[in-house]
């Protein structure tokens, strides 16, 4: 159902089963695929392509203007593509000139700026601020109020918890930036701050409140201000069960592509091309050598 | 005055002296009691009951959908009850399926998710993110940009300052959570991070920037990363007067039910049932034994 | 172009070339100077004066009510003045009863409360929360999600990075506050927390994640929790070039009034009155004695 109180632009293409709420503004050249729900008071700007089954909450701006429009008020013809099954909660602002994969989710009042390359099944929590010009892989889970500076690169299967800050300016203010690189399966816990340009290694664990000033090695847990290595993650026990808690991929399935099996089986069934696509072709996952699963 | 540009649903019950601003959406089965002011561009969803004298700023969503609606777009009949004299500032999102007491206040762009049980005279500051499935007592003052994870339990008369993070996952990511428990009169200062499942003791003081990895004893101040006990709170002097600053309840009245008298007198005049209701029946408040006031 | 779906009050004065988007509310006695662009769903309240060339994004509230209106719903006749060339991004809330200079910029969902005195060419990033009753100088750059307590005083040419917290209550909760004072050219890096009433000295550098419990001397870098002096800022090298990185004013021009020359030349060409206006008349800038530039 399309509200009579919505303002629909020219050349808007809609699939079937579309809901557009009260006081929405759908600008020209927008494509809404089938089964999409656009809640009241939301704005979808020019040249946005939203995949099937999208849910967009109220007070969102999808395809927000870049700075150039604010200055000269001329449309530049940028576009924004968001894959199928997006769930974008209220107040979220996604700039144009980005590309975002399938199954994208946001909390409330999230900001995603331009030139963000975001993979499939990524979740970005309430208030998080992705400053654009960055790469985020697949199955990355970013919780509330995380700050992601430009030039950040986040691999697949990374978890970032509330109030984490990924910086990029080694000597602020300056004009040369160095983004943080977060490797496969890494976990950055609440309130941690990562200094510019650092590698956060595969399967590492940055503890809550850590201020990370040196690269973090693979399979290493760090903590403190400044952060120091505290142990191998494989020594950390689950608080409740007393069993080995990390690598988490062997214990945890929710949201992950191995939800119906386990990581080792899922991984062993991947084709080589799939392994490459997931970034799993060249890494030491431990369990294959050691039979962990 | 009800704007002609507002969209009012079916079976909306309104008391007298109601203001509904421009471009509001009031959905079906909403109850607005007398003397309520709903500012422009705000959405009140189905089955919301707002008590007398409510002020709801612009761009709010009161009674926001849970995840299930985003997935299957079917109303489940949840409801939200907010007590009298609420002051909900602009951009606040309160999910349905919660219950909130009298005198509730929020800053701007606050999020309160489902299954939050919130007492009377609670204030939640700008940008704070209450993740739901939690309990917050009476006279709790939460400042700006605080993160409250599910399963948190906060007693009466607790103060939480800006950018505090209360976590709940001991080995992230996992599937078993342990909420923080904050006891009566505790104060958590700016930017502190509390590890999952910890007790923050009655009348304790967590200093700004503390990363709390162990339980905090009653009447104890902690500081640092990791946080360590630094002194008994009763040794801390007021910066200006040089007098004993804590327990704060003996010195501070604003917003509190003892505003017209003092804590000791107010407490002594409570009936046993009232003491039970405030959680004051079984605790050692010091002053009664020692004659402090 | 003024949308037919916008609600325009009485005695609204508009210059030429004004755009007002869909579902906007422009209340009585608003002045919009020439070449202003007000995007859809935005509210401009009574007695707001917006200078020439303003761009105001969607879902903003400019001239927001103070607490007194929320309580008694009577207009008090406050006003808000914002200088020319403002760029106010979506979701920003600026209270009435403040004065803001030229070239003001905000990110998304910024809050600026009442009695904020803000100079020229100030930028305040996404989600930042300026709690009002504070002074912010000229050419101050505040990044995302910074908390600025009442009574804060920030001099000209100061940089504050994401998630910094400037506090004001020495023994929370209390009724006597002490604001932080940040001096000329100081830099406060991401996630730092500054205790109440402290001086952050001219040209000092507070490192990311520092918890500052003592005053910071001029030209001093501090780090840690609690923060301790680590070196003279003039010893810090640029990460990429290996050259001296601080004082940053000798190396960095973007956004600054010396953008077309360099700091030393620009400063030498100022009249005495201009030096006074910039606060540069009584400070030791080093380079004049040492010939640095």
């Amino acid at each position: 159902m399309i509200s009579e109180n919505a303002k629909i632009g020219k050349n808007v293409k809609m699939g079937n089963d579309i809901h557009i709420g009260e006081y929405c503004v759908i600008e020209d050249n927008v494509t809404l695929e089938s089964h999409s729900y656009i809640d009241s008071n939301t704005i979808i700007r020019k040249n946005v392509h939203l995949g099937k089954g999208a849910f967009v909450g109220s007070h969102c701006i999808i395809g927000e203007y870049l700075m150039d429009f604010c200055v000269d008020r001329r449309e530049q013809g940028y576009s924004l593509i968001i894959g199928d099954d997006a769930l974008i909660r209220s107040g979220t602002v996604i700039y144009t000139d980005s590309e975002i994969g399938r199954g994208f989710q946001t909390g409330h009042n999230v900001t995603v700026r331009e030139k963000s390359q975001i993979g499939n099944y990524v979740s970005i929590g309430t208030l998080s601020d992705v400053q654009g010009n960055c790469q985020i892989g697949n199955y990355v889970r970013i919780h509330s109020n995380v700050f992601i500076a430009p030039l950040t690169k986040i691999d697949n299967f990374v978890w970032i918890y509330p109030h984490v800050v990924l910086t990029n300016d080694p000597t602020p203010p300056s004009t040369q930036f160095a983004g943080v690189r977060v490797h496969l399966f890494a976990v950055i816990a609440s309130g941690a701050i990562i200094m510019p340009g650092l590698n956060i290694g595969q399967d590492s664990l940055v503890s809550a409140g850590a201020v990370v000033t040196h690269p973090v090695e693979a399979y290493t847990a760090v903590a403190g201000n400044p952060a120091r290595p505290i142990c191998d993650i494989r020594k950390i026990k689950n608080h409740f069960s007393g069993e080995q808690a990390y690598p988490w991929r062997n214990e945890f399935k929710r949201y992950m592509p191995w939800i119906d099996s386990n990581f080792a089986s899922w991984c062993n069934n991947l084709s080589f091309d799939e392994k490459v696509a997931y970034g799993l072709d060249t890494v030491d996952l431990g369990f294959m050598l050691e039979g962990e699963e």
Side-chain angles (χ1 to χ4, degrees), chain A residues 191-246:
Chain A
I193 302 172
I194 316 292
M195 295 298 100
L198 294 181
N199 273 294
I200 306 300
Q202 181 201 322
D203 277 296
S204 66
L205 172 62
V206 176
S207 301
V211 177
V212 180
T213 58
H214 290 85
V216 178
E217 299 293 315
Y219 290 94
T220 302
V222 302
N225 178 0
R228 305 204 188 280
I230 50 170
C231 66
D232 186 300
I233 61 150
R234 287 164 288 204
K235 302 219 166 133
I236 299 172
K237 306 298 185 201
N238 180 282
H239 177 78
F240 299 96
S241 70
E243 294 179 4
Q244 186 178 330
Y246 297 95

Side-chain angles (χ1 to χ4, degrees), chain A residues 22 98 253 280:
Chain A
E22 308 296 320
S98 282
K253 304 174 172 188
L280 296 171

Side-chain angles (χ1 to χ4, degrees), chain A residues 3 6 29 56 62 142 153 157 167 183 239:
Chain A
S3 165
N29 302 318
V56 181
I62 310 298
I142 296 170
K153 186 170 187 315
F157 311 117
T167 68
H183 291 259
H239 177 78

Side-chain angles (χ1 to χ4, degrees), chain A residues 25-268:
Chain A
V25 178
I26 312 295
E27 297 187 359
D28 303 343
N29 302 318
V30 165
T31 301
L32 302 176
E33 292 196 44
S34 303
H35 312 297
S36 289
Y37 192 104
I38 313 297
D39 211 335
S40 303
N41 286 328
T42 272
I43 298 170
I44 303 190
R45 299 210 189 282
K46 291 190 178 62
N47 308 321
V48 170
H49 187 127
L50 257 180
K52 278 183 283 192
F55 185 97
V56 181
S58 293
H59 304 128
C60 289
I61 306 175
I62 310 298
E64 177 62 315
Y65 301 126
L66 307 197
M67 173 65 112
D68 53 10
F69 181 84
C70 301
V71 172
D72 66 14
R73 291 138 203 215
R74 290 187 197 173
E75 304 281 352
Q76 296 295 326
Y78 301 111
S79 63
L80 170 66
I81 297 173
I82 300 178
D84 293 348
D85 299 316
L87 195 178
I88 296 171
R89 288 194 179 79
S90 78
T92 291
V93 176
I94 303 178
Y95 279 57
T96 189
D97 202 24
S98 282
E99 199 159 335
I100 298 176
R102 288 190 302 282
F104 183 58
Q105 281 201 17
T106 75
H108 303 276
N109 297 317
V110 168
T111 310
V112 179
R113 287 189 50 187
E114 69 272 19
K115 300 190 202 312
S116 295
Q117 292 174 42
I118 298 180
N120 297 321
Y121 304 105
V122 168
S123 173
I124 301 181
T126 291
L127 299 171
S128 283
D129 178 12
V130 177
Q131 290 258 310
N133 201 9
C134 62
Q135 292 175 54
I136 298 176
N138 304 293
Y139 297 95
V140 170
R141 310 277 312 174
I142 296 170
H143 215 295
S144 294
N145 213 339
V146 170
F147 177 85
I148 297 183
L151 304 186
T152 300
K153 186 170 187 315
I154 300 175
D155 288 357
N156 301 320
F157 311 117
V158 161
W159 294 77
I160 302 184
Y161 283 87
H163 289 235
V164 164
V165 177
L166 307 185
T167 68
N168 74 354
D169 188 346
T171 52
S174 76
T175 54
Q176 275 183 290
F177 302 105
V180 169
R181 167 74 185 275
V182 188
H183 291 259
L184 281 165
F185 305 112
V187 176
I188 305 179
S190 295
I193 302 172
I194 316 292
M195 295 298 100
L198 294 181
N199 273 294
I200 306 300
Q202 181 201 322
D203 277 296
S204 66
L205 172 62
V206 176
S207 301
V211 177
V212 180
T213 58
H214 290 85
V216 178
E217 299 293 315
Y219 290 94
T220 302
V222 302
N225 178 0
R228 305 204 188 280
I230 50 170
C231 66
D232 186 300
I233 61 150
R234 287 164 288 204
K235 302 219 166 133
I236 299 172
K237 306 298 185 201
N238 180 282
H239 177 78
F240 299 96
S241 70
E243 294 179 4
Q244 186 178 330
Y246 297 95
W248 61 266
R249 58 187 135 83
N250 296 339
E251 316 302 327
F252 187 90
K253 304 174 172 188
R254 202 176 168 202
Y255 311 116
M256 295 296 141
W258 54 89
I259 187 166
D260 296 323
S261 119
N262 62 58
F263 177 73
S265 303
W266 172 81
C267 197
N268 283 326

